């Protein structure tokens, strides 16, 4: 079941006794919604919730190429796989290294990879290869004012995001620690 940020923001305003959104405007609440989404995303990643697991489509790596294009939703790489380009062979693992070895001659295999946070670096191969990436993906994008009606398709996240955002707004906009604590407790319950 999907929902929109607008639905979350309406819930947040109501939980903070401002249903008309006189003080809690969308613009005021959005930074806190984005923080709550990041909180939930990190919890999912740390607990290996399956929604964060992804495998890329096969990416062609041309002869001698030493980098791979990263998927736009990549958060953390788990494993790389390779095979000959345009082949039906099974993929085999590529070993992760902190630093790539120095080699004088390219081989038929990529063999090793290194991630510097921006790029996947390879030694290159003397044949075209296909690479697949197993990775943890980002499940949320930052919500901006014009996108409050964009659907969020993360099942079961509505109540957590509503309570957690309401808690943050109560704490930092309303400066009401008691309400913030109670709302945060509800967020924890919703997560369970």
């Amino acid at each position: 079941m999907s929902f929109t940020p607008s639905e979350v923001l309406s819930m947040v305003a109501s939980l903070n006794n401002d249903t008309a959104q006189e003080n809690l405007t969308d613009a005021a609440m959005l930074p806190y919604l984005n923080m709550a989404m990041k909180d939930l995303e990190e919890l999912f990643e740390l607990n290996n919730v399956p929604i964060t697991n992804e495998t890329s489509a096969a990416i062609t790596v041309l002869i001698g190429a030493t980098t791979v294009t990263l998927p736009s939703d990549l958060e953390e790489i788990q494993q790389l796989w390779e095979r000959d380009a345009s082949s039906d062979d099974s993929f085999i693992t590529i070993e992760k290294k902190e630093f790539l070895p120095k080699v004088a001659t390219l081989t038929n295999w990529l063999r090793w990879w290194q991630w510097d946070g921006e790029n996947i670096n390879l030694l290159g191969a003397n044949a075209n290869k296909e690479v697949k990436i197993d990775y943890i993906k980002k499940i949320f994008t930052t919500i901006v004012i014009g996108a409050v009606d964009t659907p969020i398709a993360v099942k079961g996240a509505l109540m957590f995001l509503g309570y957690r955002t309401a808690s943050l707004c109560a704490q930092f906009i309303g400066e009401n620690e008691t309400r913030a604590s109670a709302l945060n407790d509800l967020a924890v319950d919703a997560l369970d």
Side-chain angles (χ1 to χ4, degrees):
M1 181 174 99
S2 67
F3 57 93
T4 65
S6 182
E7 290 175 74
V8 176
L9 297 177
S10 292
M11 178 181 172
V12 169
S14 294
L15 289 167
N16 280 287
N17 292 330
D18 189 14
T19 304
Q21 292 186 309
E22 293 175 3
N23 295 317
L24 293 175
T25 63
D26 286 357
M29 293 184 286
L30 272 178
Y32 300 102
L33 173 58
N34 285 317
M35 286 179 208
M37 289 189 311
K38 192 65 180 165
D39 284 348
L40 185 59
E41 189 170 68
E42 287 176 4
L43 283 168
F44 282 4
E45 291 167 6
L46 290 172
N47 291 289
N48 197 27
V49 175
I51 192 172
T52 63
N53 295 331
E54 189 68 63
T55 299
S56 72
I59 302 164
T60 301
V61 178
L62 300 176
I63 294 173
T66 58
T67 60
V68 173
T69 304
L70 300 175
S72 61
D73 61 350
L74 184 139
E75 184 70 29
E76 183 178 331
I77 299 171
Q78 299 297 308
Q79 180 64 54
L80 258 66
W81 305 86
E82 72 173 305
R83 72 177 179 190
D84 288 330
S86 303
S87 132
D88 289 333
D89 293 343
S90 296
F91 283 87
I92 60 170
T93 60
I94 308 174
E95 184 180 346
K96 181 180 181 182
K97 294 284 188 182
E98 294 299 318
F99 300 95
L100 289 176
K102 306 293 183 224
V103 296
T105 306
L106 300 180
T107 68
N108 285 336
W109 300 102
L110 297 168
R111 294 186 58 195
W112 300 295
W113 64 278
Q114 180 260 339
W115 185 30
D116 65 14
E118 298 293 322
N119 297 299
I120 296 173
N121 300 309
L122 308 164
L123 293 176
N126 63 12
N128 291 339
K129 306 304 276 182
E130 286 184 338
V131 171
K132 280 190 174 183
I133 307 169
D134 290 342
Y135 63 99
I136 296 173
K137 69 178 179 177
K138 298 174 189 171
I139 57 173
F140 296 115
T141 58
T142 301
I143 305 298
V144 295
I145 287 292
V148 295
D149 291 320
T150 304
I152 296 175
V154 179
K155 186 178 178 181
L158 173 63
M159 297 308 289
F160 172 84
L161 291 175
Y163 289 133
R164 181 70 177 130
T165 305
S167 171
L168 291 168
C169 289
Q171 179 75 38
F172 299 109
I173 296 174
E175 298 183 353
N176 183 334
E177 289 185 25
T178 303
R179 181 183 301 265
S181 179
L183 289 166
N184 197 59
D185 289 345
L186 291 170
V188 170
D189 289 346
L191 191 59
D192 289 340

